[in-house]
Amino acid sequence: MDGNYIKGECEEMCPLGEVKQRIREKLVHFYEKDAKFVKEFARSAAGQRNQRSYELRTEDALMETVRYLLTEIFHDKRRPYNFMYDFVFDRLRCVRQEIVIQNLGLITTVKLLEPTIMFLAYSRYRLANESFHNFDPKICEQHLQECLKKILVCYDALPEMKYSENRCTLEALYQIFNLGSTEALSRGISLPKSVKRHPVFRLSLRIGIAYWQKNFFGTLKLMQSLPPMLFAVASLKFGQIRRQMIMTFSTAYCSKQLSVPLEWLRKVLFYGAKEETSELIEHLRHYGIECDGQAAKFEKKFDMSKAQIATVSHAFVDEKFDCDNFEIYFLLK
């Protein structure tokens, strides 16, 4: 025991006591029936006893748990992605809980959180088209933000020579995920030169500055150069950026005689292939902009009462991923 913290002694991914209990109570998950058990998350409650050392996993067991979840389970195709996500999300949440209970060291915490963050980020994009019944994006975003802020605190506390080689990627992800946040932008500007020199982080900072300057076309254009994982997260911001641009066009191109070609709008709003023109038309009409199959007429003011278009995944983003080798995006090196 270190002060008021308990050190884990369990070398397995799930304590034997929990295994027996869940078998007895018929609470074995689909992914555990023919494979290994993984300790599930249990919310702390008043009056509940603290976990014992033999119920908490060692650092090696926690690392093996994360690796197992994001390789073996992640690639299990027997059930839909959202079903797999629920299981992995719960088990990773339990890992995070043990980080706090055991007050694990900075380097161990970083190694456990880095792949967790990438899984949450990818899942937020991958499940963007799912119904709320199957996936709650706000919960995913909340946990992603918590993990990002926790790992940034760890990075700040580590000596520069002990920075994880993945720090620049995670710092860039924080910038993209918090696009428009002055707090995030201020952090990015004040980071050590060793981070700011990294090309991916430098690009993410340029994107943040472009957005802050209301250069929305420049923001979208710069995003196209992001690596796959960051581009996927950036695409979740397309809806809010396009809304800003369409609102600007409603004033700049307001005319009863003139119209704006849809092909031009498709390119400047980055709607991808020509096949996505129908999606562009749908979005323009959503905001009260009249259009036919060839052009849009910005005759009316932008309909401010209309909510932002729901976040969806995009075919041109999907094309950047090689799902058969996705471990590299989880930083499991």
Side-chain angles (χ1 to χ4, degrees):
M1 184 180 294
D2 180 13
N4 294 322
Y5 298 100
I6 305 172
K7 184 176 178 62
E9 297 177 356
C10 178
E11 297 288 355
E12 304 298 328
M13 292 191 292
C14 186
L16 182 58
E18 180 180 323
V19 173
K20 291 180 177 179
Q21 178 188 357
R22 290 209 277 123
I23 291 175
R24 183 173 62 251
E25 297 177 3
K26 298 182 179 180
L27 296 175
V28 181
H29 194 278
F30 170 80
Y31 290 118
E32 297 172 320
K33 290 179 179 178
D34 301 315
K36 303 173 183 178
F37 277 73
V38 183
K39 185 178 178 181
E40 65 180 355
F41 174 77
R43 193 180 301 275
S44 300
Q48 184 178 356
R49 70 169 177 80
N50 294 329
Q51 295 189 58
R52 310 288 175 79
S53 59
Y54 58 81
E55 296 173 312
L56 297 172
R57 290 163 289 186
T58 63
E59 294 183 9
D60 288 343
L62 288 171
M63 288 300 302
E64 178 57 29
T65 298
V66 173
R67 181 175 293 278
Y68 173 73
L69 291 170
L70 298 182
T71 52
E72 299 296 325
I73 302 299
F74 180 82
H75 287 295
D76 191 318
K77 308 298 183 184
R78 291 176 294 169
R79 292 292 180 91
Y81 188 92
N82 67 287
F83 183 86
M84 179 277 297
Y85 165 82
D86 288 340
F87 177 77
V88 174
F89 176 88
D90 176 87
R91 272 41 177 187
L92 288 177
R93 189 177 184 186
C94 185
V95 170
R96 289 161 48 206
Q97 185 182 53
E98 290 201 30
I99 290 175
V100 176
I101 293 174
Q102 300 190 51
N103 190 31
L104 296 180
L106 295 173
I107 294 177
T108 300
T109 299
V110 165
K111 288 181 178 180
L112 292 170
L113 286 183
E114 283 177 341
T116 298
I117 287 169
M118 299 305 273
F119 170 75
L120 291 172
Y122 174 71
S123 297
R124 175 61 185 92
Y125 171 78
R126 173 72 179 266
L127 296 171
N129 297 344
E130 282 289 344
S131 65
F132 183 78
H133 176 73
N134 290 332
F135 173 68
D136 186 339
K138 290 191 180 298
I139 293 294
C140 182
E141 289 178 2
Q142 174 192 331
H143 284 260
L144 175 55
Q145 186 77 293
E146 288 175 2
C147 289
L148 279 169
K149 290 192 172 182
K150 173 70 173 178
I151 205 168
L152 295 188
V153 170
C154 292
Y155 287 146
D156 290 342
L158 283 169
E160 187 167 351
M161 71 283 294
K162 291 191 176 181
Y163 284 165
S164 160
E165 64 181 42
N166 301 319
R167 177 178 183 176
C168 298
T169 299
L170 272 295
E171 292 278 6
L173 177 60
Y174 179 71
Q175 292 295 318
I176 298 299
F177 184 68
N178 291 281
L179 190 68
S181 164
T182 53
E183 179 185 346
L185 198 57
S186 176
R187 174 183 174 81
I189 293 171
S190 62
L191 283 172
K193 290 182 180 179
S194 57
V195 177
K196 290 197 288 186
R197 281 197 296 263
H198 192 278
V200 173
F201 178 79
R202 190 165 62 242
L203 175 58
S204 73
L205 193 59
R206 288 178 62 197
I207 290 169
I209 292 172
Y211 185 85
W212 180 74
Q213 294 174 332
K214 299 187 184 302
N215 179 6
F216 302 121
F217 173 75
T219 301
L220 289 174
K221 186 175 182 181
L222 286 169
M223 283 177 170
Q224 311 302 308
S225 299
L226 287 167
M229 187 68 255
L230 297 183
F231 187 44
V233 174
S235 72
L236 299 173
K237 309 293 183 180
F238 285 179
Q240 71 185 58
I241 298 172
R242 287 167 173 168
R243 187 179 193 273
Q244 294 278 1
M245 293 178 73
I246 293 171
M247 183 165 58
T248 302
F249 294 161
S250 296
T251 301
Y253 300 125
C254 182
S255 172
K256 292 185 177 180
Q257 289 78 35
L258 303 176
S259 59
V260 180
L262 287 179
E263 179 62 14
W264 181 81
L265 286 172
R266 183 185 67 79
K267 290 181 179 178
V268 298
L269 293 170
F270 289 90
Y271 270 85
K274 289 187 177 181
E275 290 76 19
E276 294 190 34
T277 301
S278 58
E279 183 181 19
L280 168 60
I281 293 173
E282 178 186 342
H283 291 177
L284 290 171
R285 289 174 176 169
H286 172 80
Y287 292 124
I289 310 301
E290 296 180 9
C291 54
D292 53 28
Q294 300 297 323
K297 294 186 71 67
F298 293 92
E299 295 181 20
K300 302 177 182 179
K301 287 186 177 180
F302 183 84
D303 190 347
M304 297 293 293
S305 66
K306 291 290 186 179
Q308 179 182 304
I309 296 293
T311 299
V312 295
S313 58
H314 304 272
F316 62 91
V317 179
D318 294 341
E319 290 172 358
K320 286 200 171 191
F321 284 110
D322 178 5
C323 290
D324 291 334
N325 296 302
F326 201 72
E327 293 95 334
I328 61 172
Y329 299 115
F330 290 131
L331 312 179
L332 290 169
K333 298 178 180 178

